[in-house]
Amino acid sequence: MKRKILIVTVLIISLLVASFVLIGCKDKNEEKGPQSYDIVGLDNASVSVVPNVTKATAGTEVKLTVTLKSKDIYLTKVLYNDQLCTQTATGYSFIMPEAAVMLSAETANYTEVLQNGFATYSASNLKQIAQNATHNSEPILDEPKWGLEVDFDTPYMSILKSKVTSSEQSVISDSAIEVKSYTKADLGIGGVNDFEIVRGKVIVDTSKISVGETWLTMEFENGNVSSAPKSQLRVKIYVCKYGDISVATMTETLVFDVSDLDYKGDFNLRVADADHIDGSKWNAVQDYILKPNAEGKFSLNITYVKGHSFWLRLSYGTEDQYQTTLRIDGSEANGGVYTGDDRGAGTGKLTFTEGEVQLQLTVREQA
C-alpha cells in the first residue's frame, strides 16, 4: 500500500513540475514580443543621417535627420538598405523592414552654370548682395530690391515660365524672389518681333534676406512652344550687411591747373561715382576743399573703383555749387581719360584702366 502511495506522489510531483515549466516558458515567450532590428546611421565628411531610434520593429515609421556639412553640396538620395527613403516636408523617413537597416546618402556638388540653353547670366551681375540695398532694379514704393540680369535668345517667346529656388532658405527664401521679363519694346530695341522677351531680372527683396551664402538655381522655359526649350542656371550669392560690399579700387592722381582763373581762394571739388553700388563700402559722393599753390595748381589722390565712371564738379569756395561756372577740359594719359565738360561743369566722365595714373586737367571759365 505504501508503495502505491509513493508512486502516486511521485507522479503528482512530476506533473506539477512539468506544469510550472510550461507556464514559465509561456510567460517568457509572451514577454519577448515582436523582434526589433538595428538601425545604423551615417556620418561622413559630407553628410550625417541620424535616425530617431536605433532599433525598431517591422512596420514602424523611422524618421531621419539629415545634415549637410558643406553649403556647396546638395542631396540627391537618402537610402535605407539601398531603398529610397520618403521625402517629407520636414525631412526623410522610411518604414522599418524585417531586417537590420544601414542608412546611406548620395550627394552632388553645386557648380556654377552661367550659360545654358537659351539663357545667359549677365557678366555685370555682382556676386554680393547687401541687406536693404537697391541695385539694378526698378524700385517699387521705395522697397529695397536687387536685380540679377539674364539674357534670352529664343524666337517668338512672349511667355516666360520661370522658377528660382535658393539652397539656403534662411539666407534668401524663395518667397523673397520674383522674376520680371522684358521685351525688345521694353528695352527700346524695337524692330521685327518687338514682342519677344529677350531679358529677365531675378529680383531679390533685400529687406527679407540674411547674412550668409546660398546657391540660386534658375529655371527658364519658353511658354510659347509646345516642346519648350528649357534652360537652367546656377550661381552662388553672398549676402552681407549694408555697407560691407567690397569693391576693387585703384589709387589715381588728379592735377588741376587753375592758373587761367582770376581767383586765389579755396575750391570745392566734388567727385561722384556714376556707377555707385548701393550697400558698398565706397561713398557715392566725396567732396574735397583744395587750395592752389603759387603756380596755380593743386593735386589730389582719389580712390577709384575699377570699371566705374566718375564725374567731377569744381566750384569756387568751400561748398559744392550746382550752378558752377567752371569748366574742366578733356584730358588723356596712359590708362586714364576725362572726356571734358561739353555743356557745363560735371558733364564729363572720368575713367581709368590702370592704377597709379596721373591725369593733368585744365580748368577755365565757361565761355
Side-chain angles (χ1 to χ4, degrees):
M1 187 67 178
K2 290 182 179 180
R3 186 176 179 184
K4 289 182 178 180
I5 293 172
L6 179 62
I7 292 171
V8 171
T9 302
V10 172
L11 287 172
I12 292 172
I13 292 172
S14 298
L15 288 171
L16 288 172
V17 170
S19 297
F20 283 126
V21 170
L22 290 172
I23 291 170
C25 290
K26 182 178 180 182
D27 290 342
K28 187 175 180 180
N29 289 333
E30 286 179 352
E31 289 174 1
K32 185 176 181 182
Q35 184 175 355
S36 293
Y37 300 95
D38 291 331
I39 305 171
V40 180
L42 171 69
D43 189 13
N44 59 30
S46 300
V47 60
S48 70
V49 182
V50 180
N52 64 331
V53 292
T54 56
K55 287 179 176 291
T57 57
T60 301
E61 182 184 24
V62 179
K63 296 180 180 180
L64 308 176
T65 299
V66 182
T67 304
L68 294 171
K69 299 183 179 181
S70 169
K71 296 184 184 299
D72 292 330
I73 62 176
Y74 60 95
L75 280 171
T76 57
K77 294 178 182 178
V78 179
L79 307 159
Y80 70 102
N81 291 354
D82 297 327
Q83 300 295 313
L84 282 174
C85 292
T86 301
Q87 187 171 5
T88 67
T90 57
Y92 291 83
S93 67
F94 68 92
I95 303 301
M96 190 71 185
E98 292 184 353
V101 165
M102 180 78 70
L103 297 173
S104 61
E106 295 180 10
T107 62
N109 291 323
Y110 281 116
T111 56
E112 194 171 64
V113 180
L114 303 181
Q115 199 288 321
N116 177 254
F118 64 86
T120 301
Y121 189 74
S122 175
S124 63
N125 292 325
L126 298 177
K127 291 187 175 181
Q128 282 184 300
I129 294 178
Q131 290 178 301
N132 299 305
T134 298
H135 178 71
N136 192 30
S137 176
E138 301 79 4
I140 303 172
L141 299 177
D142 296 325
E143 293 179 4
K145 305 280 188 178
W146 195 286
L148 302 169
E149 289 188 356
V150 179
D151 294 317
F152 302 128
D153 184 14
T154 182
Y156 307 112
M157 182 170 70
S158 63
I159 301 173
L160 174 67
K161 294 181 179 180
S162 61
K163 180 182 179 182
V164 182
T165 55
S166 171
S167 65
E168 293 293 328
Q169 294 293 303
S170 61
V171 178
I172 300 178
S173 66
D174 294 348
S175 61
I177 302 171
E178 61 180 310
V179 177
K180 185 174 181 179
S181 60
Y182 300 83
T183 66
K184 290 180 180 178
D186 292 334
L187 300 176
I189 298 174
V192 178
N193 299 333
D194 64 356
F195 63 86
E196 291 180 338
I197 296 173
V198 293
R199 182 171 298 166
K201 277 187 185 178
V202 176
I203 300 175
V204 179
D205 185 341
T206 58
S207 68
K208 300 177 180 179
I209 61 179
S210 301
V211 174
E213 59 189 59
T214 186
W215 286 87
L216 295 184
T217 300
M218 308 174 182
E219 300 176 35
F220 303 103
E221 182 178 337
N222 185 340
N224 295 90
V225 183
S226 56
S227 56
K230 299 179 181 180
S231 297
Q232 185 181 89
L233 306 178
R234 185 173 286 130
V235 294
K236 191 174 187 179
I237 298 295
Y238 301 86
V239 177
C240 64
K241 293 181 179 179
Y242 190 92
D244 282 354
I245 289 183
S246 59
V247 290
T249 61
M250 299 184 294
T251 300
E252 314 292 353
T253 302
L254 301 177
V255 178
F256 292 84
D257 184 347
V258 295
S259 60
D260 191 52
L261 304 175
D262 187 19
Y263 176 78
K264 305 303 180 184
D266 293 331
F267 289 84
N268 179 279
L269 174 66
R270 172 157 289 189
V271 181
D273 184 354
D275 301 305
H276 178 254
I277 301 167
D278 189 30
S280 67
K281 296 179 179 180
W282 172 256
N283 293 325
V285 177
Q286 297 184 76
D287 284 335
Y288 303 91
I289 299 174
L290 302 164
K291 190 176 185 65
N293 59 21
E295 298 177 350
K297 295 181 179 181
F298 57 81
S299 63
L300 173 70
N301 293 329
I302 67 166
T303 302
Y304 175 84
V305 179
K306 288 184 179 181
H308 289 201
S309 293
F310 286 64
W311 55 263
L312 308 174
R313 183 161 65 224
L314 194 64
S315 308
Y316 291 128
T318 58
E319 295 182 2
D320 174 65
Q321 300 293 329
Y322 180 75
Q323 299 295 337
T324 183
T325 58
L326 301 179
R327 186 189 74 200
I328 303 174
D329 290 344
S331 179
E332 290 188 40
N334 186 23
V337 61
Y338 182 71
T339 61
D341 300 334
D342 52 359
R343 294 180 301 278
T347 57
K349 289 293 181 68
L350 176 70
T351 55
F352 290 96
T353 56
E354 298 178 13
E356 305 296 333
V357 174
Q358 186 178 99
L359 193 60
Q360 305 282 335
L361 301 168
T362 300
V363 182
R364 308 179 190 279
E365 292 279 357
Q366 289 287 348

